[in-house]
Each structure stands twice: as structure tokens, then as C-alpha cells.
């Protein structure tokens, strides 16, 4: 099989490792092949691709959409990030739990995050080119988020000196969010 799929301790999260064909010229890989994903039991449908470029210490997140939740297949093309998904599915046995891992252009690993999760990452390398596929379209009026440094979530971000957007710096804490939105 051209991909290896690893189920993670939080239901719905997967690490996907594509087969990489390398030689003296470089490498080739299929970052997504619907047939291979379906054969592995991953039947999600993607409708939008996004890409961002960031410098070391930039932290983006923790983001989600409220009424139009998106599943995301995330990967790093160049560089390295610490990537985090937080379960915000009411009624889930892992509600409020997170899973974090390093994604890198060198490892070619991918992380699938289903709808119902908040997502964010911090750049560990000098720069990072980050790409992701989404299962629903972006709706700007539907944005939601959780403060990256929420003490209740206690995510062990590997960098503490980070740059966040003004909008992300004002996101609510998880406890407040539960009362008003979830």
C-alpha cells in the first residue's frame, strides 16, 4: 500500500505516511490519492486546499469553525512545526484532550484531524511551508478559537517565545468557550 495509516489514541485522529520514492535526484511522493485513502478506510472528501508560510516562533491557532466544522489533512512541505488538535466534540470521551506531534518536510508525515477539533501549530524551523486539505469550505463568519496558552488544556508547546496574531491573542479560554458555544 502506498500509504501507512496510524490510528491515534483520540478517536478520528490519524497519522498518514506516504511512500517516498527517492534517488540521487531527490524524491517523489503522492501527498493524496483518493483511492489509496479509501482503501485504508479514510473516506473523507476534500473541497479546499490551503497553504501558509511562517517564520520560526509563529503560532497559528487554535482554530475551528462552529457550524461548518472542517476536517483537515495537514502537512509540512518545508520546515518543521509542532502541530496540535484539541477535541471539542461535546459528548466525546476525550473532550478537551489534545494530541500533538512534529510534522516536517523531511519526514513527509501528514496528520488527519476530523471535524470537531480545534487546530493549531507553532513553527520550529527558521521557516515553514504548511499545506492542508479541508473537508468543508472556509466561512469567515463561522470562525471560532481557543487561546493557545490555555492553562486548562496545558499544551506543552515546545517554544514559549511565540508570535500570535492580535486576533488569536484575544481568543477565549476553553472554559469560557464551553459555556457559550459548544
Amino acid at each position: 500500500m502506498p500509504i501507512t495509516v496510524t490510528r491515534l489514541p483520540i478517536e478520528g485522529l490519524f497519522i498518514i505516511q506516504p511512500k517516498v520514492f527517492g534517488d540521487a535526484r531527490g524524491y517523489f511522493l503522492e501527498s493524496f490519492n483518493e483511492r489509496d485513502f479509501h482503501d485504508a478506510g479514510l473516506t473523507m472528501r476534500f473541497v479546499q486546499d490551503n497553504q501558509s508560510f511562517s517564520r520560526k516562533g509563529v503560532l497559528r491557532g487554535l482554530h475551528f469553525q462552529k457550524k461548518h466544522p472542517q476536517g483537515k489533512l495537514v502537512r509540512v512541505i518545508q520546515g518543521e512545526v509542532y502541530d496540535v488538535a484539541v477535541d471539542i466534540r461535546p459528548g466525546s470521551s476525550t473532550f478537551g484532550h489534545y494530541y500533538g506531534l512534529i510534522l516536517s518536510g523531511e519526514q513527509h508525515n501528514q496528520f488527519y484531524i476530523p471535524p470537531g477539533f480545534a487546530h493549531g501549530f507553532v513553527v520550529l524551523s527558521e521557516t515553514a511551508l504548511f499545506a492542508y486539505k479541508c473537508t468543508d469550505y472556509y466561512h469567515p463568519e463561522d470562525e471560532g478559537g481557543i487561546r493557545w496558552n490555555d492553562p486548562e488544556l496545558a499544551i506543552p508547546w515546545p517554544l514559549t517565545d511565540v508570535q500570535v496574531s492580535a486576533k488569536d491573542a484575544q481568543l477565549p479560554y476553553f472554559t469560557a468557550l464551553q459555556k457559550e458555544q459548544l
Side-chain angles (χ1 to χ4, degrees):
M1 177 172 285
I3 61 171
T4 302
V5 177
T6 304
R7 293 180 187 279
L8 296 172
I10 298 177
E11 181 66 33
L13 296 179
F14 299 96
I15 296 173
I16 294 122
Q17 189 68 52
K19 184 165 177 74
V20 180
F21 301 91
D23 61 25
R25 301 169 297 160
Y27 70 87
F28 171 83
L29 64 85
E30 287 184 353
S31 60
F32 176 74
N33 180 307
E34 185 177 57
R35 182 177 46 238
D36 293 340
F37 271 59
H38 283 205
D39 288 350
L42 304 174
T43 59
M44 66 288 288
R45 178 177 167 262
F46 297 107
V47 298
Q48 181 176 323
D49 282 7
N50 299 325
Q51 182 171 305
S52 70
F53 175 82
S54 304
R55 300 193 186 291
K56 185 174 187 169
V58 169
L59 192 146
R60 297 179 184 269
L62 300 160
H63 303 142
F64 61 91
Q65 290 200 161
K66 301 170 195 168
K67 295 178 184 163
H68 302 278
Q70 297 174 308
K72 296 177 180 177
L73 178 62
V74 302
R75 67 189 179 105
V76 172
I77 297 169
Q78 173 269 318
E80 183 176 81
V81 307
Y82 180 68
D83 200 88
V84 174
V86 178
D87 188 347
I88 59 170
R89 300 171 294 184
S92 168
S93 64
T94 52
F95 179 75
H97 294 201
Y98 69 86
Y99 188 87
L101 75 160
I102 291 178
L103 297 174
S104 76
E106 192 171 293
Q107 292 178 16
H108 309 290
N109 52 341
Q110 300 178 49
F111 186 27
Y112 179 69
I113 305 157
F117 282 76
H119 171 254
F121 66 89
V122 64
V123 177
L124 303 177
S125 52
E126 287 306 308
T127 61
L129 186 56
F130 188 89
Y132 57 106
K133 303 179 94 46
C134 299
T135 61
D136 198 353
Y137 299 103
Y138 172 67
H139 298 270
E141 74 286 354
D142 198 35
E143 289 181 339
I146 303 167
R147 188 87 52 102
W148 70 276
N149 58 352
D150 187 305
E152 183 179 345
L153 297 177
I155 297 168
W157 297 100
L159 298 179
T160 53
D161 184 21
V162 298
Q163 291 179 277
V164 297
S165 70
K167 182 169 71 171
D168 286 357
Q170 299 302 313
L171 290 173
Y173 289 105
F174 188 59
T175 303
L177 185 70
Q178 291 176 66
K179 292 176 184 171
E180 66 184 59
Q181 295 178 355
L182 300 178

